[in-house]
Amino acid sequence: MKKHYSLFIVLIGLISGLVTGLLGIGGGTVLVPAMTSILNEKEHVAHGTSLAVILPTALISTVIYSFNRYVNIGLAIQIAISGMIGGYMGAKLMNRLPSAILRKLFAVFLIIAGLKMVI
Amino acid sequence: MMPIYMIGIITGIISGMAMGGGTFLIVALVFFTNISQHVAQGVSLASFLPTAVVAIIVHFRQGNIKVKLALLLIAGSLCGAIVGAILATKLETALLRKIFGFYLIGTGGFLLWQSRKTPLGSFERRMKNEEGRKK
């Protein structure tokens, strides 16, 4: 791997980490497209590798948030447990639902929610 | 008020479909409960951790994690996260919410643009990739 290429990868990490820390979102929305379209990685590699990156990133962000009392552990546990059930359902449903249409609907939902937050 | 476990299940379904459940979680917590933007973000981060551990083990066993690539990305993302998280805790709720809103509009727009380029769902796409690799 060339040196400037490695630096470029670190830069992609920096941007995704910034998003994770600032907005509390796993940087998957930054990392996965960056890896598939810029670094030419396969989608399953991009998903797996992005998770491995987001875990330590989210962990350090959680620690900083909790220093400022912005983490409600009880609520997080409730979300994590119900989220796992949902995650299992989602993975199963992916084979049966028209995920392309759902993806578009979700995109429209994000835009509307974003507009509501901005205005 | 929307029940918390319902928000959690929908978040999980969206994550399971690889569409980024964290965005939905924060939006739902802010709009449908009385939780502040900052706490919603903190809860999103913390609730991601246990699920991520399980998912990483599965992906690692399937050989989907490129270790060197991950380490380089982590080197950058840890620095970014420290700056981002400290910045978030210093920002006022209203401003943080606005920045979050702009990010949502950007992500939504990107998802729409991306779905035009690849009209197939992720499942169909993966099946195609699988076929391509066998050839």
Side-chain angles (χ1 to χ4, degrees), chain B residues 63-80:
Chain B
N64 291 343
I65 297 177
K66 284 198 174 175
V67 176
K68 198 183 171 192
L69 177 62
L71 288 177
L72 283 171
L73 288 167
I74 288 170
S77 85
L78 282 182
C79 302

Side-chain angles (χ1 to χ4, degrees), chain A residues 22 24 29 41 57 65 118, chain B residues 41 44 66 77 98 103 126:
Chain A
L22 182 63
T29 39
E41 295 291 349
T57 314
Y65 272 68
V118 170
Chain B
Q41 293 187 186
S44 160
K66 284 198 174 175
S77 85
K98 273 209 167 121
Y103 180 80
R126 202 187 305 147

